[in-house]
Amino acid sequence: MILHEFMTFEVLRVIWWLLLGVLLIGFALTDGFDMGVGALLPFVGKTDTERRIVINTIGPVWEGNQVWFILGGGAIFAAWPPLYAVSFSGFYLAMFLVLAALILRPVGFKYRSKREGAAWRRNWDWALFVGGAVPALIFGVAVGNVLQGVPFHITPDLLMPRYDGNAIMKLLLLLNPFALLAGVVSLSMLLMHGAAWLGLKTEGAVQQRAQKIGTVAGIVAAVAYALAGVWLAFGIKGYQIVGEVVKDGPSNPLLSEVTHGGSWMQAYSDRPWIVIAPVLAFFGIGMAVLGLRKGKEVSTLLWSKLGITGIISSVGLTMFPFILPSTVDPNSSLTVWDSSSSHLTLFVMLICAIIFVPIILAYTAWVYKVLWGKVTEEELETNAQSY
């Protein structure tokens, strides 16, 4: 009871905003290197044996890593229902592409080695490439569109009509220049992350190729991230809440008055401490690139994780308290203060998170400890369970 009284509606909303960010970062740090490895597969493995080595670096862990993706979707559904309703309907076709690509991954793992034919295996290798590269790109495109705002509105009775226009046109509108630049940031940073993972788990020619490609990908990620920041500062209008902000009121976005103008970078004047996020992003990427060039292994993967954490955190901290701005009706924009579930729902979910998230973390740590070590050709020959 004391804990329930201490956890005010305002506090719970901020906690679940933070937890959503943690889950998304957790997904990028774990399943991110899975996607990066998949996208690198056709380029770092020149022979069938080399490609099997690459596949088996992620084969035992990719399913567990996707738990973070499921947790993130569940958190949006339960803690931020309006966000779930608007985003899943508006980004429907893009999400379908992501899911279709992700489905190729388990199918590719299971069927690739069912036949000996070179063409058969090569086709499944490219399917695994699609399963890694497409989600990595589309996730970034989605973030780019969120920063620009998306075309939705909320009616006075709090209904959320689907976006106007046909599905193909909506998808094409999502693929605008700034969103594609954000997609490049996402794809290149996960390629770097995947290369860092291969640097840790492989040796010889595969490791060297991965480190070479990862170095280039890291440089591209840093440059694209910098360009996106400049574009965001001078070419993308931000959103601000006008007047008094009610942080513990009902979840009704229409009660707030929002303006669409100025710059998102105003957040750095209002909260100067958030500059730590882009600093960590550039520092982490820079150290990861240096580690890839020097052939470092464990430290490179850790630096890569730091850079990704900085990039994702900078988006959330820059936009706060906005979660999903509206270009059609700024007053319909979803914020931390007016688009959450009820106080009781957030509290009960927090108790569940306190219980189960540590269990997931402990189990994940144990799995990686058991699977520690490099994947070698000798291991493929002696392990009947390898892909």
Side-chain angles (χ1 to χ4, degrees):
M1 180 62 72
I2 295 176
L3 180 62
H4 184 266
E5 292 178 354
F6 173 74
M7 291 293 177
T8 64
F9 207 1
E10 175 185 351
V11 170
L12 283 170
R13 281 169 163 166
V14 173
I15 288 175
W16 273 103
W17 174 79
L18 289 170
L19 283 175
L20 179 59
V22 168
L23 293 174
L24 294 177
I25 291 172
F27 171 61
L29 298 185
T30 54
D31 207 36
F33 68 70
D34 294 341
M35 290 185 284
V37 168
L40 289 169
L41 175 61
F43 310 105
V44 298
K46 300 301 183 180
T47 66
D48 182 67
T49 298
E50 288 180 346
R51 293 186 181 187
R52 286 187 65 206
I53 289 174
V54 172
I55 290 171
N56 278 275
T57 65
I58 58 174
V61 298
W62 73 269
E63 289 178 292
N65 291 340
Q66 276 204 328
V67 167
W68 296 98
F69 184 50
I70 297 169
L71 287 175
I76 294 175
F77 173 77
W80 310 99
L83 174 62
Y84 184 90
V86 173
S87 60
F88 275 65
S89 61
F91 294 115
Y92 181 81
L93 189 54
M95 290 186 177
F96 179 83
L97 291 176
V98 169
L99 291 176
L102 290 177
I103 289 171
L104 287 175
R105 184 161 53 179
V107 178
F109 286 147
K110 299 299 182 182
Y111 281 89
R112 181 191 183 276
S113 296
K114 295 295 184 182
R115 293 174 58 181
E116 296 291 339
W120 170 270
R121 294 189 173 189
R122 183 172 58 252
N123 290 337
W124 282 116
D125 289 338
W126 283 107
L128 290 171
F129 164 80
V130 172
V134 170
L137 176 67
I138 296 299
F139 285 139
V141 168
V143 171
N145 278 280
V146 168
L147 283 165
Q148 296 176 89
V150 294
F152 73 94
H153 71 280
I154 299 176
T155 64
D157 51 359
L158 299 185
L159 295 178
M160 301 171 191
R162 293 186 298 175
Y163 298 0
D164 296 330
N166 62 66
I168 300 298
M169 286 302 301
K170 287 190 288 186
L171 179 61
L172 293 177
L173 289 174
L174 292 178
L175 300 176
N176 57 76
F178 179 78
L180 288 174
L181 178 60
V184 170
V185 175
S186 176
L187 177 59
S188 56
M189 79 175 185
L190 294 186
L191 286 173
M192 175 192 70
H193 200 42
W197 176 255
L198 289 176
L200 176 66
K201 297 290 291 183
T202 64
E203 55 189 12
V206 172
Q207 183 188 58
Q208 293 170 6
R209 293 187 199 110
Q211 290 170 337
K212 183 177 180 180
I213 297 174
T215 299
V216 176
I219 294 172
V220 171
V223 173
Y225 179 63
L227 290 175
V230 173
W231 195 336
L232 192 66
F234 299 102
I236 305 295
K237 293 182 180 179
Y239 290 78
Q240 292 84 33
I241 299 177
V242 178
E244 182 181 0
V245 178
V246 180
K247 300 179 180 180
D248 58 355
S251 292
N252 182 352
L254 299 180
L255 297 179
S256 300
E257 183 179 352
V258 176
T259 60
H260 183 197
S263 171
W264 281 119
M265 295 305 167
Q266 179 63 36
Y268 291 87
S269 297
D270 298 337
R271 305 184 299 276
W273 61 270
I274 68 174
V275 74
I276 188 64
V279 169
L280 289 179
F282 285 115
F283 182 70
I285 292 175
M287 293 300 293
V289 168
L290 188 61
L292 287 166
R293 293 190 62 184
K294 291 188 173 183
K296 302 293 184 179
E297 296 182 0
V298 176
S299 61
T300 299
L301 184 63
L302 295 177
W303 288 124
S304 178
K305 290 178 181 291
L306 180 66
I308 292 173
T309 299
I311 289 175
I312 297 175
S313 298
S314 66
V315 175
L317 291 172
T318 299
M319 292 184 61
F320 184 85
F322 288 91
I323 302 177
L324 189 65
S326 169
T327 56
V328 174
D329 177 21
N331 289 338
S332 296
S333 299
L334 306 181
T335 74
V336 173
W337 313 125
D338 55 28
S339 56
S340 72
S341 293
S342 68
H343 180 277
L344 179 60
T345 299
L346 295 182
F347 178 76
V348 172
M349 287 174 53
L350 179 61
I351 298 301
C352 294
I354 291 173
I355 295 172
F356 290 107
V357 170
I359 295 175
I360 294 172
L361 290 173
Y363 176 74
T364 301
W366 176 78
V367 168
Y368 280 96
K369 181 178 183 298
V370 170
L371 297 173
W372 186 260
K374 293 184 179 292
V375 178
T376 63
E377 182 177 351
E378 291 74 19
E379 181 181 348
L380 296 183
E381 295 175 353
T382 58
N383 184 3
Q385 303 301 318
S386 62
Y387 290 103

